[in-house]
Amino acid sequence: MIRTRIIGTGSHIPAKVLTNKDLETLVDTTDEWIVTRTGIKERRIADNGETSSCLAHQAALNALDMAGISAAELDMIIVGTVTPDMPTPSVACLLQDKLKALKAAAFDISAGCTGFLYALSVADSLIRAGNHKKVLVVGVDTLTKITDYTDRTTCILFGDGAGAVVLSKDNGANGILSSLLYSDGSCGNLLYMPGGGSANPASPDTIAKRYHYLKMDGNKVFKLAVKALEDCVVKILSHNNLTSDAIDLLIAHQANLRIIQAIAKRLELPPEKVFINIEKYGNTSSASVPIALDEANRQNRIKPDDLILLNAFGAGFTWGSALVRW
Ligand code: ACO
């Protein structure tokens, strides 16, 4: 049986820190409100010129280094992102060039904060179909470039970063056991950026209307996220004839500590089986799951044969889960 193994993980976070105290000087908010409602204490901000492909490049180099392979061996690069350097070319193509991964085909996937899980699932399918052996999957976003720092309901949430995994074809029992992906386009208006596409091409008018920033109904997103993720994690376990006590580590999208805690409670997971780093980075969108996976891996929170549950939820709406036997 062909399986997809994760043979390397990597991440890269910008150096510039924006704390809750800094945000208190920009909008009407408090450190106490942000920590209580979200769990976030600070986030990282990409500098001018520090693009999504720059962050993706560093994360990819770290993942390739751990995997012990060269970029020349990659036959596919898939990047989950909603903040490409520019509409075209894709981040994946820019990254292919930076890495000199000359053999690799490359494309982006836009699935909000679920982008990494979508990319992982597609890569897994390509490998198990038999046509690809070594695939680089990256989740990267620079959401702070499309964040409105006059809107206190969104600007407290987002940070920038990139995470990457190197996947390899394998014949053993371990690897990606299964993934489940979902979308509900009817909820698209709850989290969106109206400007810059074919609906509202950039113009002085779209800039004046602040159309080039994210708009979100956070409370509705919160409730839908909890419900969708609870259903999804229960389904993926039952599809694999597993119960939640088999999970060794939950690595969830770091959007809101209360959402992660609700899923952990539903699965009856003790705190030591739930990986949390939201306090340092906020919601890094597509990058959040692979950054958390890389940190957990480098902190030796993941042992051979451990069962890892990944999940994410984001704009679209999109959501999904994956089960990995390490
Ligand atoms: N500081 C102080 N008060 C605030 C702030 C703030 N930064 N933001 C909102 N408030 C106020 C509101 O105005 C409201 O005041 P009111 O009661 O006088 O009207 C009050 O706080 C409560 O607002 P809610 O929106 O109901 O607060 P909630 O508990 O839902 O928390 C939050 C808001 C943190 C945004 C939460 O809803 C959330 O995390 N939602 C999920 C968001 C998410 O994960 N989005 C990303 C999806 S991924 C992607 O694709 C990018």
Side-chain angles (χ1 to χ4, degrees):
M1 183 178 192
I2 301 176
R3 280 268 193 234
T4 302
R5 291 287 297 261
I6 297 175
I7 59 166
T9 62
S11 56
H12 183 72
I13 319 291
K16 194 167 153 190
V17 178
L18 183 71
T19 65
N20 291 351
K21 283 279 171 210
D22 297 330
L23 284 166
E24 285 180 0
T25 67
L26 297 177
V27 288
D28 180 15
T29 192
T30 61
D31 173 53
E32 197 264 333
W33 191 96
I34 301 170
V35 172
T36 312
R37 300 284 178 128
T38 69
I40 301 166
K41 292 182 181 155
E42 58 186 43
R43 66 289 291 140
R44 300 299 183 96
I45 309 288
D47 235 326
N48 289 340
E50 203 173 13
T51 63
S52 290
S53 70
C54 297
L55 301 181
H57 183 211
Q58 293 306 319
L61 290 176
N62 293 337
L64 286 164
D65 184 50
M66 185 188 286
I69 70 162
S70 78
E73 293 175 64
L74 296 171
D75 37 30
M76 180 66 78
I77 298 172
I78 311 177
V79 176
T81 189
V82 292
T83 46
D85 295 28
M86 55 195 88
T88 192
S90 65
V91 174
C93 282
L94 296 171
L95 180 59
Q96 187 237 16
D97 181 47
K98 286 184 198 291
L99 291 170
K100 299 289 169 240
L102 300 183
K103 216 174 70 177
F107 64 99
D108 287 358
I109 287 182
S110 170
C113 299
T114 322
F116 174 77
L117 282 188
Y118 268 67
L120 187 74
S121 177
V122 170
D124 176 39
S125 301
L126 291 171
I127 288 176
R128 284 188 295 106
N131 292 329
H132 298 82
K133 291 195 177 90
K134 296 275 186 291
V135 180
L136 174 69
V137 173
V138 180
V140 59
D141 269 307
T142 46
L143 281 194
T144 68
K145 311 259 186 204
I146 55 167
T147 294
D148 184 349
Y149 284 95
T150 66
D151 175 8
R152 69 174 182 172
T153 68
T154 54
C155 74
I156 56 144
L157 296 172
F158 302 121
D160 301 329
V165 293
V166 177
L167 304 177
S168 178
K169 185 176 170 181
D170 198 90
N171 296 315
N174 290 8
I176 298 173
L177 302 184
S178 145
S179 55
L180 281 183
L181 301 176
Y182 297 94
S183 308
D184 181 354
S186 72
C187 297
N189 61 339
L190 298 179
L191 175 51
Y192 69 114
M193 188 179 91
S198 56
N200 297 295
S203 70
D205 185 47
T206 62
I207 291 168
K209 288 177 170 158
R210 306 185 82 77
Y211 274 12
H212 299 276
Y213 295 122
L214 283 172
K215 319 280 176 199
M216 181 176 69
D217 185 334
N219 197 264
K220 284 195 182 140
V221 173
F222 184 98
K223 287 175 185 152
L224 284 163
V226 172
K227 169 89 181 64
L229 288 176
E230 283 186 355
D231 289 352
C232 189
V233 293
V234 167
K235 261 192 205 125
I236 199 164
L237 287 171
S238 99
H239 284 188
N240 288 277
N241 295 318
L242 290 165
T243 49
S244 62
D245 53 344
I247 297 168
D248 293 293
L249 195 62
L250 168 66
I251 297 185
H253 173 38
Q254 311 281 309
N256 186 312
L257 184 59
R258 290 184 292 141
I259 298 179
I260 302 170
Q261 286 169 339
I263 309 307
K265 190 171 171 204
R266 178 75 176 77
L267 295 173
E268 297 178 0
L269 294 178
E272 63 273 17
K273 288 191 171 187
V274 183
F275 189 83
I276 309 274
N277 64 4
I278 190 171
E279 71 284 359
K280 294 188 289 182
Y281 307 131
N283 178 349
T284 56
S285 188
S286 271
S288 124
V289 169
I291 290 172
L293 180 64
D294 182 48
E295 289 199 344
N297 194 18
R298 288 173 194 268
Q299 291 167 15
N300 292 319
R301 294 275 303 269
I302 306 178
K303 305 272 182 299
D305 298 322
D306 273 1
L307 186 68
I308 313 299
L309 175 62
L310 310 175
N311 74 36
F313 180 93
F317 281 167
T318 57
W319 65 101
S321 284
L323 270 177
V324 182
R325 178 73 68 191
W326 203 256

